[in-house]
Amino acid sequence: MKIATAAYPLDPLPDWTAYKTKLTDWVQRAAGQGAELLVFPEYAALELSMLAGPEAAGDLERCLHVVSDLIGDVDDLHADLAVRHGVHILAASAPVFDEAFGARPVNRARLFTPGGARGVQDKQIMTRFERDPWDVVPGGKLQIFDTSLGKLAILICYDSEFPMLGRAVCDADVLLVPSCTDALSGYSRVRIGSMARAMEGQCVSVMSSIVGDAPWSPAVDENVGMGGIFGPPDVGFPSTGVIAEGTLNQPGWTVGEVDLSRVAHVRADGGVLNRSHWADQTGRDSLATVVPLR
């Protein structure tokens, strides 16, 4: 199958029509290249905050509520586009106020299938900024979505940097990693995390990014990144582990072709068997003994 992952710029959108036109154009362009799975970045839904005006978009608390209030309509639009173009879409993650998790919002990605099904995945571990001053909170547990394309799981940005979260979804064939990073160092951490999770789980990981500046939004004002599709550097995959990658900070889709039979093969008979040998760490996860040697 072909996967398209976005390097997505945020625009100060004047109205809903402008957002609908932009999203429709992006989906059409990816589908036109034969992509069956489209991956948008973390927090790219914050461009919707400008629909309430620059004052609302520029306020860290108000922008959360503006975007959350629009998510129902946003999801309906994504669902329609997924059905119309026959594609799976991971929508840009968004702050969502959900009573199940208290008075504060979660960071939620939503997955849409061409058959009309929908799934949601919340971020597990918050960054320092999400904790304070933004007060975004962890949401529902990790899930694996069994789709017509294969088993998909979602690790939102910072979550990809934690191997135990990757292990929790090790039965997935493809890990989707929507990201939002404000510096090259942040992008590098998530990229390294995505590649490490692909190596450990002997699967494919797909990283999307916001790119460019959005000075009207203090939450996502500076953004660095690009799209990337990674696999284990082993049998049936590139020796570098890089299946496809874009150009740093250049907007657009990065499209790569993935054969999931190769995931099954490398797990069964790869040069190494990281996924199967995970259990060999048992008993070695306590802190190492400090041995004086001077």
Side-chain angles (χ1 to χ4, degrees), residues 83-109:
V83 172
R84 191 189 320 168
H85 293 281
V87 296
H88 291 69
I89 303 175
L90 182 70
S93 84
V96 174
F97 286 87
D98 184 332
E99 292 180 356
F101 303 104
R104 299 305 302 166
V106 297
N107 179 3
R108 177 166 292 172

Side-chain angles (χ1 to χ4, degrees), residues 187-205:
Y187 162 76
S188 298
R189 285 194 300 271
V190 179
R191 176 191 170 98
I192 291 167
S194 298
M195 296 185 76
R197 304 295 79 80
M199 181 187 70
E200 293 164 355
Q202 294 183 288
C203 63
V204 172
S205 64

Side-chain angles (χ1 to χ4, degrees), residues 194-259:
S194 298
M195 296 185 76
R197 304 295 79 80
M199 181 187 70
E200 293 164 355
Q202 294 183 288
C203 63
V204 172
S205 64
V206 184
M207 180 181 177
S208 58
S209 300
I210 299 178
V211 296
D213 295 338
W216 38 270
S217 174
V220 287
D221 52 344
E222 296 178 349
N223 303 283
V224 174
M226 62 181 176
I229 303 172
F230 312 111
D234 205 332
V235 177
F237 292 91
S239 297
T240 61
V242 179
I243 297 170
E245 62 182 343
T247 301
L248 192 68
N249 295 333
Q250 181 174 310
W253 289 110
T254 293
V255 179
E257 193 156 353
V258 172
D259 181 352

Side-chain angles (χ1 to χ4, degrees), residues 231-284:
D234 205 332
V235 177
F237 292 91
S239 297
T240 61
V242 179
I243 297 170
E245 62 182 343
T247 301
L248 192 68
N249 295 333
Q250 181 174 310
W253 289 110
T254 293
V255 179
E257 193 156 353
V258 172
D259 181 352
L260 292 188
S261 69
R262 296 182 180 180
V263 171
H265 176 71
V266 78
R267 286 174 169 177
D269 194 25
V272 290
L273 297 173
N274 304 73
R275 180 171 177 271
S276 297
H277 293 161
W278 181 275
D280 290 359
Q281 300 175 95
T282 302
R284 303 178 189 179

Side-chain angles (χ1 to χ4, degrees), residues 105-215:
V106 297
N107 179 3
R108 177 166 292 172
R110 291 96 55 227
L111 180 64
F112 302 87
T113 78
R118 306 184 185 192
V120 301
Q121 180 61 67
D122 298 331
K123 194 171 185 177
Q124 305 294 292
I125 300 177
M126 302 296 105
T127 62
R128 295 183 67 180
F129 176 79
E130 285 174 309
R131 294 166 191 248
D132 182 17
W134 225 11
D135 199 15
V136 177
V137 299
K141 294 181 179 180
L142 289 173
Q143 305 175 84
I144 296 174
F145 301 98
D146 192 0
T147 75
S148 60
L149 296 179
K151 293 181 179 179
L152 311 179
I154 303 162
L155 296 176
I156 300 176
C157 201
Y158 194 40
D159 285 351
S160 70
E161 299 180 32
F162 294 88
M164 293 306 292
L165 297 185
R167 182 62 183 175
V169 293
C170 71
D171 286 339
D173 304 306
V174 181
L175 301 179
L176 309 182
V177 185
S179 76
C180 171
T181 51
D182 63 1
L184 183 59
S185 57
Y187 162 76
S188 298
R189 285 194 300 271
V190 179
R191 176 191 170 98
I192 291 167
S194 298
M195 296 185 76
R197 304 295 79 80
M199 181 187 70
E200 293 164 355
Q202 294 183 288
C203 63
V204 172
S205 64
V206 184
M207 180 181 177
S208 58
S209 300
I210 299 178
V211 296
D213 295 338

